């Protein structure tokens, strides 16, 4: 073998070795790039999952808050007591008894139709002037916190004025004709030094003003 051929072969081997080295380096770079890509995808997926979880948690919290707000907006029924319900009688041609309810709480409450009043332990309550126990007109009155509601019993004739009463048992009607919310409570007129005369008469539905109740009873102007 001549020196010239030996140099030519050595150069070929060197070029082959250089090519192999470059190929290995390229393979390593591709592998490293693939690992980086997988790592980025994994991070992106984890980040997206975390955001979705946060959204679900926030959404659930908002729904719970909404349910709590709805629950807090429910208006409870009003209920009678000896200091929340008071009676007074107006004399003269438009004589009548006023039934006044005071909502002593810091929340609104609801009244339905009319108060159920049993004077002197009567078996049946005073009839309703607006409708009958079986055919109610569906009055629903929201009494604001520390607000008032009124009902009126006309006593402007001899029959409706009747005789002096000693006591009255009070129930508040519920949403249906046969239901009551709370009660009864009994008010003693003697203890309160009241002189009320009630005969064969009726009671109006609850209203938000004394004048409205008087008009409903036919004793207002």
């Amino acid at each position: 073998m001549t020196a010239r051929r030996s140099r030519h072969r050595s150069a070929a081997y060197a070029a082959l070795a250089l090519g192999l080295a470059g190929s290995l380096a390229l393979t390593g770079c591709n592998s490293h790039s693939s690992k980086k890509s997988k790592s980025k995808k994994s991070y992106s997926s984890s980040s997206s999952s975390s955001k979705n979880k946060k959204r679900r948690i926030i959404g659930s919290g908002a729904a719970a808050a909404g349910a709590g707000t709805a629950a807090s907006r429910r208006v409870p029924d009003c209920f009678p007591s000896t200091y929340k319900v008071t009676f007074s009688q107006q004399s003269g041609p438009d004589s009548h008894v006023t039934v006044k309810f005071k909502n002593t709480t810091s929340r609104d409450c609801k009244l339905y139709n009319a108060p159920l009043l049993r004077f002197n332990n009567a078996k049946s309550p005073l009839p309703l002037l607006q409708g009958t126990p079986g055919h109610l007109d569906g009055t629903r009155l929201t009494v604001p916190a520390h607000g008032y509601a009124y009902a009126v019993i006309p006593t402007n004739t001899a029959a409706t004025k009747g005789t002096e009463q000693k006591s009255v048992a009070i129930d508040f009607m519920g949403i249906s004709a046969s239901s009551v919310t709370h009660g009864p409570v009994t008010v003693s007129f003697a203890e309160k030094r009241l002189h009320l005369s009630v005969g064969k008469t009726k009671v109006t539905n609850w209203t938000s003003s004394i004048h409205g109740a008087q008009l409903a009873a036919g004793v207002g102007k």
Side-chain angles (χ1 to χ4, degrees), residues 21-37:
S23 177
L24 288 172
L26 183 60
T27 301
C29 285
N30 288 339
S31 176
H32 184 65
S33 176
S34 176
K35 286 180 181 178
K36 279 187 176 181
S37 177

Side-chain angles (χ1 to χ4, degrees), residues 175-186:
I175 193 168
S176 66
S178 59
S179 66
V180 293
T181 55
H182 298 274
V185 296
T186 301

Side-chain angles (χ1 to χ4, degrees), residues 10 12 37 50 53 85 87-88 113 115 129 166 168 175 186 188:
S10 295
S37 177
S50 176
K53 284 181 181 177
V85 183
F87 294 80
S88 61
N113 299 295
L129 190 61
K166 296 179 180 179
V168 62
I175 193 168
T186 301
S188 171

Side-chain angles (χ1 to χ4, degrees), residues 105-145:
T105 70
S106 57
R107 292 184 62 187
D108 297 353
C109 68
K110 291 195 300 289
L111 287 171
Y112 302 95
N113 299 295
L116 296 177
L117 306 172
R118 292 176 173 84
F119 288 96
N120 282 2
N121 299 315
K123 291 182 180 180
S124 300
L126 208 64
L128 308 186
L129 190 61
Q130 296 159 277
T132 65
H135 299 84
L136 305 177
D137 66 355
T139 294
R140 294 187 191 186
L141 179 66
T142 298
V143 186

Side-chain angles (χ1 to χ4, degrees), residues 170-206:
I170 311 161
D171 272 314
F172 281 178
M173 298 183 72
I175 193 168
S176 66
S178 59
S179 66
V180 293
T181 55
H182 298 274
V185 296
T186 301
V187 174
S188 171
F189 297 138
E191 289 179 2
K192 293 182 177 293
R193 298 180 181 179
L194 293 174
H195 300 279
L196 299 181
S197 295
V198 175
K200 295 180 180 180
T201 184
K202 298 180 179 181
V203 61
T204 68
N205 286 354
W206 292 110

Side-chain angles (χ1 to χ4, degrees), residues 52-139:
N52 287 337
K53 284 181 181 177
K54 284 181 180 178
R55 284 175 188 153
R56 284 196 294 270
I57 290 170
I58 291 170
S60 298
T69 303
S72 67
R73 287 177 182 170
R74 290 195 191 108
V75 180
D77 294 333
C78 303
F79 61 92
S81 73
T82 55
Y83 64 91
K84 289 181 179 179
V85 183
T86 56
F87 294 80
S88 61
Q89 188 154 30
Q90 177 73 37
S91 59
D94 293 326
S95 173
H96 60 273
V97 172
T98 300
V99 185
K100 182 170 73 172
F101 166 76
K102 181 179 181 180
N103 180 7
T104 59
T105 70
S106 57
R107 292 184 62 187
D108 297 353
C109 68
K110 291 195 300 289
L111 287 171
Y112 302 95
N113 299 295
L116 296 177
L117 306 172
R118 292 176 173 84
F119 288 96
N120 282 2
N121 299 315
K123 291 182 180 180
S124 300
L126 208 64
L128 308 186
L129 190 61
Q130 296 159 277
T132 65
H135 299 84
L136 305 177
D137 66 355
T139 294

